[in-house]
Amino acid sequence: MRVKFASEPASAITPPEIYAARRQFLQGSAALAAISLLPGSALSATAPSLGPLRKSALSTNEKLTPFSDVSSYNNFYEFGTDKDEPAKHAQSLKPRPWTVRIEGEVQKPRTFDLDALLKLAPLEERVYRLRCVEGWSMVIPWVGYPLSELIRQAEPTGSAKYVEFITLNDAKQMPGLNSRVLDWPYREGLRLDEAMHPLTLLTLGLYGQVLPNQNGAPVRVVAPWKYGFKSAKSIVAIRLLREQPVSSWTRANPSEYGFFSNVNPAVDHPRWSQAKERRIGEFLKRETLPFNGYADQVASLYAGMDLRKHF
Ligand SMILES: Nc1nc2c(c(=O)[nH]1)N[C@H]1C(S)=C(S)[C@@H](COP(=O)(O)O)O[C@H]1N2
Ligand SMILES: [Mo]
């Protein structure tokens, strides 16, 4: 990670060890065990800190996946399709300067630069499970605030029913765009009520630091009850829509990737079971939980829907 905040003096940058100590203090004994397994040196020595952070009650207490795995085992097809390619190639991404525009069915279309996004709402640490449709999962301490904080700034009209997320589309920064593996730019979407749900995080960092490029710098979305591909990285536009958008994965293979893609152990992917998952760093597989363990918070969003049909 070589991102620097041009505006910040070196003294404002919290060393990773201090971050780890602060997090221990905040999280109490449940997280102590997890943190002590994680040497400060495992964090980036150069990435700017995003502290101080509020602790979120929506966090899981599960053991964190080490920073080294979170930042080296990635899906980010703009940098290649192998898990190790984003970490190898994403240094060509320039996360500053950066803007995100909010447009479409809104009364106030707006463009925010990164400094404005960082100041828009108090940053929180949210420890979430992330479950990839491929059958692996991680536990990641994300940093951000509810996406709803950003969306409401643009004042969605009464006709807005869906939200589309559009990733940067620049082959100079993203060598994978020269491959036809997906229809670029990467697009994802949520229903408006999903996007406004308090769990849905506008994500600017992880492990207390700005996002590593390979994790979607400088800004991404994380919707933790859905398969990982719903959480678009390196977003440049958020579009409010009347109609359901077609995401890149649905376009590539509609019979395998539906619009909702809620984590569901009872609905197999056409080519493999979704009943279990491998937590990165563990040997034995775990049972996959409905809605990735967030059923209490989100199941009501789908009341009356047949989730086998709306997969
Ligand atoms: N723009 C973009 N966003 C993306 C992807 C991608 O290829 N391009 N991959 C998705 C998939 S499949 C997963 S599992 C998660 C992985 O996020 P992580 O690497 O930060 O763990 O990012 C998602 N967001
Ligand atoms: Mo994924």
Side-chain angles (χ1 to χ4, degrees):
M1 260 300 296
R2 267 164 217 91
V3 190
K4 283 264 188 268
F5 281 173
S7 55
E8 262 190 317
S11 60
I13 296 169
T14 310
E17 318 80 69
I18 308 278
Y19 167 72
R22 182 196 294 146
R23 188 170 186 283
Q24 272 190 359
F25 177 75
L26 288 171
Q27 293 283 87
S29 53
L32 277 171
I35 272 291
S36 59
L37 295 174
L38 199 152
S41 60
L43 299 183
S44 163
T46 52
S49 159
L50 290 175
L53 301 170
R54 305 206 303 193
K55 179 197 167 195
S56 172
L58 293 168
S59 288
T60 164
N61 289 323
E62 284 170 286
K63 186 180 140 193
L64 302 178
T65 302
F67 177 84
S68 52
D69 288 329
V70 171
S71 59
S72 66
Y73 189 88
N74 301 100
N75 272 334
F76 199 170
Y77 277 27
E78 287 86 337
F79 297 100
T81 55
D82 290 345
K83 297 284 170 288
D84 60 342
E85 285 187 290
K88 280 187 194 150
H89 304 312
Q91 296 317 315
S92 54
L93 177 71
K94 289 198 267 317
R96 269 181 185 264
W98 193 276
T99 57
V100 177
R101 43 175 213 285
I102 310 189
E103 59 194 18
E105 285 292 340
V106 294
Q107 311 208 15
K108 295 190 176 156
R110 300 193 53 180
T111 298
F112 294 90
D113 68 17
L114 194 51
D115 290 313
L117 286 178
L118 283 162
K119 278 183 283 197
L120 191 88
L123 293 173
E124 298 173 18
E125 178 174 84
R126 292 270 185 104
V127 184
Y128 283 164
R129 291 175 286 273
L130 176 133
R131 205 280 197 187
C132 179
V133 73
E134 295 165 340
W136 50 267
S137 63
M138 301 197 193
V139 177
I140 302 177
W142 302 108
V143 180
Y145 50 77
L147 174 64
S148 62
E149 298 275 1
L150 176 62
I151 290 180
R152 64 190 180 84
Q153 302 283 325
E155 299 180 18
T157 70
S159 311
K161 297 284 182 293
Y162 294 91
V163 185
E164 184 176 34
F165 305 96
I166 301 161
T167 294
L168 181 71
N169 188 12
D170 179 357
K172 288 198 207 76
Q173 297 184 56
M174 297 173 144
L177 296 183
N178 295 315
S179 137
R180 299 270 195 88
V181 61
L182 285 176
D183 186 28
W184 311 111
Y186 192 97
R187 292 166 191 271
E188 257 308 335
L190 295 172
R191 219 168 53 190
L192 183 57
D193 60 339
E194 297 175 326
M196 299 302 278
H197 191 279
L199 275 177
T200 305
L201 198 70
L202 188 82
T203 304
L204 295 146
L206 56 80
Y207 269 106
Q209 303 183 325
V210 300
L211 282 172
N213 287 357
Q214 57 271 33
N215 294 91
V219 56
R220 67 178 295 176
V221 162
V222 178
W225 69 97
K226 293 179 177 273
Y227 291 119
F229 64 88
K230 298 296 290 179
S231 294
K233 295 177 167 183
S234 304
I235 292 168
V236 293
I238 297 176
R239 207 167 279 162
L240 283 279
L241 300 172
R242 292 167 182 249
E243 310 287 341
Q244 186 173 295
V246 179
S247 70
S248 294
W249 283 104
T250 304
R251 188 179 295 272
N253 203 334
S255 63
E256 298 193 358
Y257 307 108
F259 177 77
F260 286 96
S261 292
N262 291 314
V263 173
N264 191 342
V267 176
D268 290 346
H269 182 279
R271 289 182 282 139
W272 58 81
S273 164
Q274 294 289 32
K276 293 189 172 187
E277 69 200 58
R278 191 172 70 86
R279 183 68 50 85
I280 295 299
E282 292 182 356
F283 181 67
L284 295 173
K285 288 191 174 175
R286 305 173 166 242
E287 308 276 313
T288 284
L289 300 172
F291 300 105
N292 200 22
Y294 301 94
D296 287 350
Q297 291 101 312
V298 299
S300 62
L301 296 177
Y302 311 101
M305 280 175 63
D306 179 352
L307 296 179
R308 290 183 173 273
K309 203 168 138 229
H310 298 281
F311 63 90

